[in-house]
Amino acid sequence: IFGASSGLGEHLSARLQSLGAKVHGASRTTGCDIGITNDVSKTLEAASENGKIDAVINFSGVLHIGKLAEMPQDELDQVVQTNYVGALNIARLSHKYLKHSRGQLLLVSSSSYFRGRKDYAAYSSSKAAVVNLTQALAEEWAPDNIRVNCIVPRRANTPMRRAAFPLEDSKLLIHPNDVSLGVLELLKTSTSGMISHVS
């Protein structure tokens, strides 16, 4: 699981381990920046040392809000590198492991992908790209017996969301457990190309 040290990824990691799964977690806090190819490669190689990799899940994400013309370059780079380039890196480098196991790549988008709106141009479009990537790879990797699916959580109660919207009523947010349950259902499915919404 990429992005396993906080938020939805941390919750899923704990849930899977409680069910007896072997989980290899990675995040920036463990030295893995998914925008850097070598970091992703080393993480997957380390995970494979414990046996075949049945699923690769990416929960890493960055949310910066603001008008695109006024957004600092470093913030724009973080959104694109993590949310989109990171997903590409994970997909490309996990292919050989998932082909061997006939496993699944599970990407995570956001309900923001539905429609771009002001102050979300970079974030929303990066999450729309993840949905498109899922659909494309589901077809591309079908001959290799790799399933590719995407989960789309509605606004969830995570540290990233609370940092971006500190005054938001937490009662309006879904619980991370709802997302974990959605992921568990996707991990069990034999279908590929699913864009599964959690609300």
Side-chain angles (χ1 to χ4, degrees), residues 120-132:
Y120 281 82
Y123 180 77
S124 294
S125 60
S126 71
K127 290 301 186 177
V130 170
V131 170
N132 193 282

Side-chain angles (χ1 to χ4, degrees), residues 24 39-51 53 96-97:
H24 186 94
D39 285 4
V40 176
S41 180
K42 286 181 177 179
T43 296
L44 290 167
E45 185 177 345
S48 71
E49 292 174 359
N50 295 317
I53 300 175
K96 67 178 181 179
Y97 299 102

Side-chain angles (χ1 to χ4, degrees), residues 36-172:
I36 300 175
T37 305
N38 196 46
D39 285 4
V40 176
S41 180
K42 286 181 177 179
T43 296
L44 290 167
E45 185 177 345
S48 71
E49 292 174 359
N50 295 317
K52 65 185 176 74
I53 300 175
D54 296 302
V56 174
I57 304 168
N58 179 32
F59 269 108
S60 294
V62 170
L63 171 62
H64 288 304
I65 301 169
K67 294 177 174 55
L68 182 62
E70 300 172 4
M71 184 174 286
Q73 187 65 47
D74 63 329
E75 290 188 1
L76 178 60
D77 290 345
Q78 284 178 356
V79 171
V80 175
Q81 282 295 118
T82 301
N83 296 356
Y84 184 48
V85 175
L88 290 172
N89 286 340
I90 289 169
R92 184 170 62 87
L93 295 169
S94 66
H95 177 268
K96 67 178 181 179
Y97 299 102
L98 296 174
K99 183 178 180 179
H100 174 69
S101 67
R102 297 190 170 193
Q104 178 173 178
L105 173 66
L106 181 56
L107 300 175
V108 180
S109 183
S110 161
S111 56
S112 292
Y113 92 87
F114 280 120
R115 181 180 180 278
R117 58 190 192 277
K118 68 174 185 177
D119 299 335
Y120 281 82
Y123 180 77
S124 294
S125 60
S126 71
K127 290 301 186 177
V130 170
V131 170
N132 193 282
L133 176 63
T134 300
Q135 295 164 331
L137 291 182
E139 294 182 8
E140 192 172 313
W141 291 0
D144 296 325
N145 296 299
I146 302 172
R147 289 161 291 138
V148 185
N149 292 305
C150 180
I151 194 158
V152 183
R154 186 171 60 79
R155 297 171 297 170
N157 192 355
T158 65
M160 184 174 77
R161 181 77 192 185
R162 292 194 298 273
F165 302 97
L167 302 179
E168 189 172 37
D169 185 354
S170 62
K171 294 177 182 176
L172 301 176

